[in-house]
Amino acid sequence: LSVSTVPTSPIAGQKPGTSGLRKKTKEFMSENYLANFVQSVFNTLIEMKTPVQGGTLVVSGDGRFWNPEAIQIIIKMAFAAGVSRVWCGTGGLLSTPALSAVIRARGKGFESFGGFICSASHNPGGINDDYGIKYNCENGGPSPEKMTDLMVEWTAKIAEYKICDKIPDLDLSKPITYDLGDGKSVEVFDCVEDHLAVLKTCFDFDSIRGLISHPDFSMTYDCMSGVQGPYAIKIVEGELGAAAGSCKNAVPLPDFGGPESAWHGHADPNLTYAVELVRDMGLNKEGLPIASDKPIPKFGAAADGDADRNMILSSQFFVSPSDSLAMIVANSDLIPQFKDGLKGCARSMPTSGALDIVAKKKGIECFEVPTGWKFFGNLMDSGTHYFPDKKTYTPFICGEESFGTGADHVREKDGMWAVLAWLQILAKKTEKSGKLVTCEDVANEHWKEYGRNYYARYDYEGVDKAKSEEMMKMMSDKAGSLAGQEFGGMKMKTNDIFEYVDPVDGSVSKNQGIRYIFEDGSRIIFRLSGTGVAGATVRLYLEKYEAADGSLNQHQFEVVKPLAAIALELSQLQTYTGRETPTVIT
Ligand code: VG1
Ligand code: CO
């Protein structure tokens, strides 16, 4: 295949954030933007001695606007870089967890060395919205920081890129193998099959089928016009027998429904954006019950654009993501994946401490890592390091407050896994009790045993970047100086800047958020988002613990309000940003 070398020059700002490189779509479409970044990734891989030559690369995405064009470009560049085989899901679609599964499990003997995920995840898509790309490694997980740092170095010195531009654009709509000569091929395969095969090793599908056919059970799964549609239809309706139509908005759209959709193209499963699901489950956007003229399903879930996020609900009941993580871990013995015992668990720093309480009681190791899934991978892969009695397999569950939950079957958060984990827990509990058990039942039982970590996150979107950085600096400068002082009748235990030393490879991640921790365990945390494309988003995380003998059925948003008042005082947020109220509360 003939290779063209195209001269180019560095483009400023090609720095991956919390999860890949995200920019306005038009910026990505501008001359050489994508090619510069993709070539920088290949240069990094070659520098790191990744077997790109003769290797297999996965390329697919969440179906957002411009994906078809970007995928064709990446395919042509991959062959120019020496790749022999490119794998794509049908339609160029693979959810983020499915792509992770494909990297880890597909094609015995010629496994892939990694893959590109063309997605900006929960960010809206379309010509006027966001585009993104992310590279995942041989273990199926996001590139670690040392690797993204190298990519950034390459983007700053790139002078040319290579592309096999004589290859015609390929039709990726159905399974087929294209033999392009010179030992190069593109294989298109069903986008669901590999992920489904992995999930079948995690769960007892028969028992979940039993729950779904229970006369009192009903469910709805809102795919928000993201990539989960084909997975939900095939797995939930096809394999598990949910009624046809249980999966809503299940056709992936390039703009996730766009401005006309109830969620304005913002395929982000939370109380604010998952408008249709929240209404159908008989709730308002504060998570409070509202009257409904239709029967309310017993179980509800939603996914984001690339299907790594999940929201879990039961009739008129919202399961907060931090709680969901803790409850799955508490009930992990009901999930076949952990039949030999769960060895470890982890949460991101801002995620509530509900998990820690469960881990302590169950006697399992619990880790606290910075925000973003890339930090979980090392822990999962460290089987022999941290869990010496297990040689290769490290039963592990992890999650984030941002509606991300997952386990060691892949190296990404996995929206479908979270849904199946809950269905599995409900199935086993229902089998045992004889009557239908709901998420609300599980939550009430959980809080009575462990207490409740009331929790909320305030997002201030689109604020001035310089001003929010000034605000963060003001708080950072005070680190360590507030211990012992009283705020709103609460005594401060510590205030610091979270820094993470990876226990496996010793790498250090500084500046991962500002923490105020009170004597009673309450926490206030500030971070700046690393996934936005314009201005800045300030995230404020609020947590208050109520012991098992305390008042367990209050409204979470009300309980944390006094903490919010303290947070505004500590940060002077209103003065710095000019914002009176958050854009989103979840
Ligand atoms: C956000 C969330 C974080 C999550 C990340 C990627 O990052 O807070 O928990 O891992 O999005 O999720 P940030 O830096 O904006 O706070 V996804 O579904 O967009 O890949
Ligand atoms: Co996502």
Side-chain angles (χ1 to χ4, degrees):
L1 294 177
S2 80
V3 176
S4 304
T5 301
V6 183
T8 185
S9 50
I11 299 170
Q14 293 200 318
K15 185 178 182 340
T18 311
S19 177
L21 180 66
R22 295 185 196 183
K23 295 286 172 197
K24 284 285 170 205
T25 306
K26 281 181 185 156
E27 190 170 352
F28 250 104
M29 291 168 72
S30 65
E31 197 183 3
N32 295 345
Y33 196 94
L34 176 73
N36 271 19
F37 185 72
V38 169
Q39 189 64 53
S40 298
V41 174
F42 283 126
N43 293 351
T44 299
L45 293 173
I46 290 162
E47 187 180 338
M48 294 181 72
K49 312 237 177 315
T50 307
V52 173
Q53 283 298 324
T56 305
L57 177 76
V58 191
V59 185
S60 278
D62 62 6
R64 74 178 53 223
F65 181 82
W66 203 56
N67 255 1
E69 293 81 358
I71 290 170
Q72 301 289 343
I73 295 171
I74 300 170
I75 291 173
K76 292 171 194 176
M77 290 184 67
F79 290 130
V83 166
S84 282
R85 274 169 303 272
V86 175
W87 288 346
C88 299
T90 35
L93 299 178
L94 280 173
S95 75
T96 289
L99 197 136
S100 186
V102 168
I103 295 177
R104 293 173 67 76
R106 192 177 177 86
K108 289 279 162 276
F110 48 96
E111 289 91 348
S112 67
F113 62 82
F116 283 98
I117 304 181
C118 299
S119 168
S121 200
H122 68 281
N123 297 36
I127 180 108
N128 294 314
D129 282 297
D130 302 351
Y131 196 79
I133 185 167
K134 155 172 130 130
Y135 180 78
N136 278 30
C137 303
E138 196 187 357
N139 71 344
S143 321
E145 281 187 332
K146 60 175 187 294
M147 203 167 154
T148 50
D149 289 347
L150 273 182
M151 291 173 193
V152 175
E153 279 176 31
W154 274 107
T155 64
K157 63 185 178 199
I158 191 161
E160 60 181 42
Y161 68 85
K162 292 186 160 43
I163 185 162
C164 291
D165 52 2
K166 297 288 178 316
I167 303 175
D169 284 354
L170 302 169
D171 175 5
L172 307 177
S173 63
K174 41 186 180 306
I176 185 172
T177 299
Y178 296 99
D179 184 349
L180 302 171
D182 290 348
K184 311 272 188 192
S185 63
V186 173
E187 188 193 335
V188 186
F189 49 86
D190 175 66
C191 66
V192 183
E193 63 189 23
D194 296 285
H195 193 209
L196 173 59
V198 172
L199 291 168
K200 279 187 170 168
T201 68
C202 302
F203 301 105
D204 176 350
F205 273 44
D206 283 335
S207 125
I208 300 177
R209 237 174 257 130
L211 171 78
I212 288 178
S213 64
H214 190 288
D216 297 333
F217 185 82
S218 52
M219 70 173 284
T220 178
Y221 192 177
D222 190 345
C223 303
M224 301 189 81
S225 306
V227 75
Q228 192 73 303
Y231 298 84
I233 299 261
K234 188 156 182 171
I235 299 173
V236 176
E237 292 186 14
E239 294 278 334
L240 298 171
S246 301
C247 302
K248 306 271 169 27
N249 303 307
V251 176
L253 298 175
D255 59 356
F256 309 124
E260 302 81 55
S261 63
W263 53 95
H264 300 287
H266 210 130
D268 196 358
N270 58 40
L271 288 171
T272 300
Y273 291 120
V275 183
E276 287 185 5
L277 174 73
V278 170
R279 182 202 58 211
D280 290 349
M281 297 305 289
L283 293 170
N284 66 13
K285 70 176 174 127
E286 275 86 52
L288 294 170
I290 50 165
S292 179
D293 46 15
K294 284 186 293 185
I296 301 174
K298 290 289 191 288
F299 179 85
D304 72 333
D306 65 334
D308 54 357
R309 295 190 179 203
N310 73 89
M311 176 163 68
I312 303 290
L313 305 161
S314 60
S315 311
Q316 301 193 303
F317 187 85
F318 166 65
V319 184
S320 95
S322 294
D323 275 351
S324 170
L325 171 64
M327 290 167 190
I328 291 173
V329 169
N331 291 291
S332 56
D333 52 328
L334 302 178
I335 302 175
Q337 185 175 358
F338 309 109
K339 63 179 185 305
D340 297 329
L342 181 64
K343 285 282 157 179
C345 59
R347 60 168 173 85
S348 64
M349 182 273 282
T351 303
S352 94
L355 178 68
D356 309 45
I357 298 171
V358 174
K360 194 165 174 209
K361 194 155 184 187
K362 289 180 89 83
I364 58 176
E365 193 109 35
C366 181
F367 300 87
E368 181 181 39
V369 309
T371 295
W373 212 259
K374 53 180 173 271
F375 298 98
F376 293 126
N378 257 4
L379 294 170
M380 294 192 213
D381 289 334
S382 70
T384 52
H385 184 101
Y386 256 96
F387 312 100
D389 57 323
K390 284 277 162 189
K391 288 288 172 268
T392 50
Y393 181 61
T394 309
F396 198 93
I397 297 177
C398 47
E400 298 189 280
E401 50 61 45
S402 54
F403 299 83
T405 329
D408 52 89
H409 62 296
V410 291
R411 292 292 179 274
E412 284 282 1
K413 55 186 189 256
D414 188 340
M416 183 62 80
W417 182 90
V419 168
L420 297 183
W422 268 101
L423 291 175
Q424 182 77 82
I425 290 166
L426 300 179
K428 293 287 177 195
K429 285 189 183 281
T430 299
E431 277 165 29
K432 201 167 160 217
S433 90
K435 75 172 206 359
L436 184 71
V437 174
T438 66
C439 302
E440 183 173 4
D441 299 332
V442 173
N444 283 324
E445 199 183 310
H446 186 96
W447 294 331
K448 272 190 210 125
E449 181 169 357
Y450 298 99
R452 180 169 177 187
N453 296 66
Y454 285 103
Y455 191 87
R457 183 177 103 184
Y458 290 11
D459 291 334
Y460 300 83
E461 292 174 358
V463 299
D464 185 80
K465 201 162 177 237
K467 289 275 183 246
S468 53
E469 282 167 356
E470 261 176 54
M471 180 185 86
M472 295 298 281
K473 177 158 189 316
M474 181 276 287
M475 289 191 280
S476 303
D477 288 345
K478 292 194 180 150
S481 71
L482 302 177
Q485 294 187 30
E486 279 217 2
F487 296 86
M490 291 166 56
K491 207 173 209 183
M492 183 89 68
K493 191 171 158 204
T494 52
N495 67 311
D496 67 359
I497 306 167
F498 182 59
E499 179 177 302
Y500 179 65
V501 181
D502 187 305
V504 181
D505 65 15
S507 58
V508 179
S509 305
K510 292 186 192 297
N511 258 324
Q512 297 297 320
I514 292 168
R515 297 193 290 192
Y516 299 98
I517 304 174
F518 294 87
E519 298 261 307
D520 72 345
S522 297
R523 297 193 308 164
I524 293 172
I525 289 148
F526 281 93
R527 274 183 71 247
L528 294 183
S529 157
T531 57
V533 303
T537 294
V538 177
R539 300 204 196 285
L540 162 57
Y541 309 82
L542 305 162
E543 175 179 2
K544 183 159 178 33
Y545 179 67
E546 183 81 39
D549 58 0
S551 167
L552 297 173
N553 289 300
Q554 304 173 67
H555 184 233
Q556 72 264 24
F557 293 174
E558 289 301 322
V559 174
V560 301
K561 268 189 184 155
L563 277 174
I566 300 173
L568 295 182
E569 179 192 330
L570 289 165
S571 63
Q572 311 270 302
L573 183 133
Q574 284 156 338
T575 314
Y576 278 102
T577 66
R579 289 296 175 84
E580 289 298 321
T581 48
T583 323
V584 177
I585 300 183
T586 50

